[in-house]
């Protein structure tokens, strides 16, 4: 009898410890669910909010939570990679795009009206933002489905813990009944029966625990395979994107190199043309200078010959014999004589001044 009491007490202590662990896990799960729900509500408020003043998009980088579902991590990685909840646009432009896109239910006709609301965006940028928005909606739907599955799994676990707790309470109740019966009868047969029933209960409990453990291991293996396959797929996508980016960078570098070589060839050609032009202009200027110099020399020579001719003529005039007649200076001119014919011999009127021609320099003093 003492062995049965010791076994029952040991079982009670084990069950109490298990119940306390289950209660701790349940509180932790509830806290996690509350945190995730608040997080989802905050995301929804951030998307639906429409402030009057536009704010610049901010991207917060944080290490991914390994306990989150893959769809949630995929959405967070997508938002971090593409510029936050507004796809790299400011909040005002994104809200205007959502307004027009929702109005037309995503039909292509919305683009003309969106261009009026977004004059600073090109049609290509609007189409790219539309692709980003559709990808965001798809990832958000996957995230909601993953959260629903996660909640359902947690609910099943909670129901399983409650069922285990009920089974344990039922087992304790049965043990109490068996113990009461043992105390009432006090017979060896009953003791053996109680011990046998207790052993059967232990074996049944052990078998259930083993079955649950196998099921848990199978689920864990399946989850690990699924996570491994998801990581492999993400790695393939990452490698593909990196390869595309590498090829794009190589093409851009090749284009830059070709453009630089073309610019260098054009610069060399312009330099050669400029050198030829400068040489041609220098030759033309040299010819012009030589022509002007030759012309000036000819003019100087002609001027010198003219001066020589003038000097020779002057010498011939100076050396000539000219008779001097001083009375001719006071002799009336033909014009004066004609005038005196009309005035008369007595004259009249004021006396006019008589002008004389200037004596040339070369005749002064003769």
């Amino acid at each position: 009898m003492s062995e049965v009491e010791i076994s029952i007490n040991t079982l009670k202590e084990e069950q109490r410890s298990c119940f306390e662990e289950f209660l701790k896990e349940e509180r932790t799960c509830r806290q996690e669910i509350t945190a995730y729900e608040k997080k989802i509500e905050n995301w929804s408020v951030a998307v639906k909010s429409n402030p009057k003043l536009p704010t610049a998009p901010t991207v917060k980088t944080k290490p991914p939570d390994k306990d989150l579902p893959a769809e949630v991590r995929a959405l967070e990685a997508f938002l971090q990679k593409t510029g936050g909840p507004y796809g790299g646009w400011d909040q005002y432009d994104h809200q205007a795009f959502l307004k027009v896109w929702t109005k037309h239910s995503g039909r292509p006709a919305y683009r003309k009206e969106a261009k009026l609301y977004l004059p600073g965006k090109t049609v290509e940028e609007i189409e790219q933002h539309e692709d980003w928005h559709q990808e965001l909606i798809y990832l958000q739907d996957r995230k909601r489905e993953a959260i629903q599955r996660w909640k359902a799994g947690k609910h099943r676990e909670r129901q399983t813990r409650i069922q285990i707790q009920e089974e344990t309470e039922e087992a304790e109740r049965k043990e109490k009944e068996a113990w009461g019966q043992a105390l009432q009868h006090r017979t060896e047969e009953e003791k053996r029966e109680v011990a046998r029933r207790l052993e059967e209960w232990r074996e049944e409990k052990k078998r259930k625990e083993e079955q649950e453990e196998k099921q848990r291991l199978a689920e864990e293996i399946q989850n690990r395979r699924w996570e491994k396959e998801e990581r492999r797929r993400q790695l393939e996508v990452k490698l593909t994107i990196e390869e595309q980016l590498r090829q794009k960078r190589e093409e851009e570098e090749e284009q830059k190199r070709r453009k630089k070589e073309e610019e260098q060839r054009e610069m060399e050609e312009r330099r050669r043309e400029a050198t030829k032009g400068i040489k041609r202009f220098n030759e033309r200027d040299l010819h012009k200078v030589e022509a002007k110099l030759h012309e000036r020399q000819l003019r100087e020579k002609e001027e010198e010959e003219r001066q020589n001719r003038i000097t020779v003529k002057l010498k011939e005039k100076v050396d000539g014999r000219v008779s001097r007649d001083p009375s001719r200076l006071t002799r009336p001119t033909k014009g004066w004589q004609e005038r005196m014919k009309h005035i008369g011999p007595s004259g009249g009127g004021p006396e006019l001044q008589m002008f004389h021609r200037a004596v040339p320099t070369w005749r002064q003093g003769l």
Side-chain angles (χ1 to χ4, degrees), residues 92-93 95-97 99-100 103-104 110-121 126:
Y92 180 83
D93 292 341
Q95 293 298 329
F97 169 83
K99 180 180 178 181
V100 179
K103 177 181 177 181
H104 292 271
Y110 85 96
R111 294 170 184 168
K112 294 183 179 179
E113 186 175 352
K115 192 68 176 65
L116 298 177
Y117 282 90
L118 303 169
K121 303 294 183 180
I126 294 174

Side-chain angles (χ1 to χ4, degrees), residues 176-190:
K176 289 180 181 179
E177 290 177 358
W179 175 250
Q181 292 176 4
L183 291 176
Q184 288 177 4
H185 297 288
R186 298 282 183 176
T187 61
E188 294 294 332
E189 185 65 25
E190 291 175 351

